Amino acid sequence: LLKTPGTKLSDRIVVSYPSLDTIAKDISVIGFSANFNQNELAVSDLLLFAPSLGRKDIFRKNPNAVIRLNGNVEGHVNDLKFYNLSVAGLGSIQMRASGSIRGLPDVKRFYADLDIDQLSITATDIRGLVGAGAIPTSIQLPESMNLHGSFKGSLQNFSTNTRLQSSFGAATVNGTFKNLTVKGRESYN
């Protein structure tokens, strides 16, 4: 059990890293093996161990947030597997999903294989996570989004079968998207 005024981590949680100096420069090397059962993680405590996250707007603008966690997580930041994971409390984000994510924290190397029971997020949350300039100005995000379904691939090339309800309306997408970041080479199926 680890308890601070804003954090309660219990059950089985193993965090590994080479050194504090190393993770201050590269959080991808942080390893996890955890079973979360009604756990809470204060962003202020998280930033003590991973200060580079403080450069992301979503963490910088929510220093007093408490992230609620349930589920199982295994792997390193750059190669995580999770089962029945529920996360809420950072910005407006609420998520329940199982799957794997590779390549973080480098968004360009991001690859995911996800089964999403629920993802509720705002445009502000997304911009705060990915950073300035990551989303082209030609793309307008809905202010609020609720999604469920599956996603497999990178942000440039992926297949999905999802249902989205947003402030723009509703859509069901079952298809493959390729070369989304190469103007004139995009393809959709």
Side-chain angles (χ1 to χ4, degrees), residues 147-167:
L147 176 115
H148 65 90
S150 63
F151 177 98
K152 185 173 187 172
S154 68
L155 297 178
Q156 296 81 21
N157 301 293
F158 62 89
S159 60
T160 186
N161 185 359
T162 55
R163 171 80 175 144
L164 172 69
Q165 179 69 44
S166 79
S167 55

Side-chain angles (χ1 to χ4, degrees), residues 43 46-47 53-54 56-63 67 90:
V43 167
L46 177 62
L47 293 175
L53 289 176
K56 298 282 186 186
D57 279 354
I58 195 144
F59 293 99
R60 187 174 46 78
K61 293 181 178 181
N62 293 288
I67 302 167
L90 183 61

Side-chain angles (χ1 to χ4, degrees), residues 65-81:
V66 176
I67 302 167
R68 295 178 308 282
L69 302 163
N70 287 288
N72 298 298
V73 179
E74 300 286 336
H76 290 82
V77 169
N78 62 1
D79 188 11
L80 285 174
K81 293 173 182 54

Side-chain angles (χ1 to χ4, degrees), residues 73-174:
V73 179
E74 300 286 336
H76 290 82
V77 169
N78 62 1
D79 188 11
L80 285 174
K81 293 173 182 54
F82 50 94
Y83 312 93
N84 301 314
L85 183 64
S86 172
V87 179
L90 183 61
S92 299
I93 299 168
Q94 294 185 14
M95 181 199 74
R96 284 190 322 272
S98 295
S100 63
I101 296 176
R102 295 190 316 252
L104 292 178
D106 184 351
V107 175
K108 292 178 183 174
R109 298 186 68 213
F110 171 86
Y111 183 90
D113 186 353
L114 306 174
D115 289 317
I116 305 162
D117 293 325
Q118 175 202 12
L119 175 60
S120 299
I121 195 165
T122 67
T124 301
D125 296 329
I126 293 172
R127 286 187 201 99
L129 283 168
V130 300
I135 300 172
T137 57
S138 60
I139 296 176
Q140 183 180 6
L141 297 173
E143 284 306 311
S144 64
M145 294 162 267
N146 293 296
L147 176 115
H148 65 90
S150 63
F151 177 98
K152 185 173 187 172
S154 68
L155 297 178
Q156 296 81 21
N157 301 293
F158 62 89
S159 60
T160 186
N161 185 359
T162 55
R163 171 80 175 144
L164 172 69
Q165 179 69 44
S166 79
S167 55
F168 287 172
T172 298
V173 179
N174 185 359

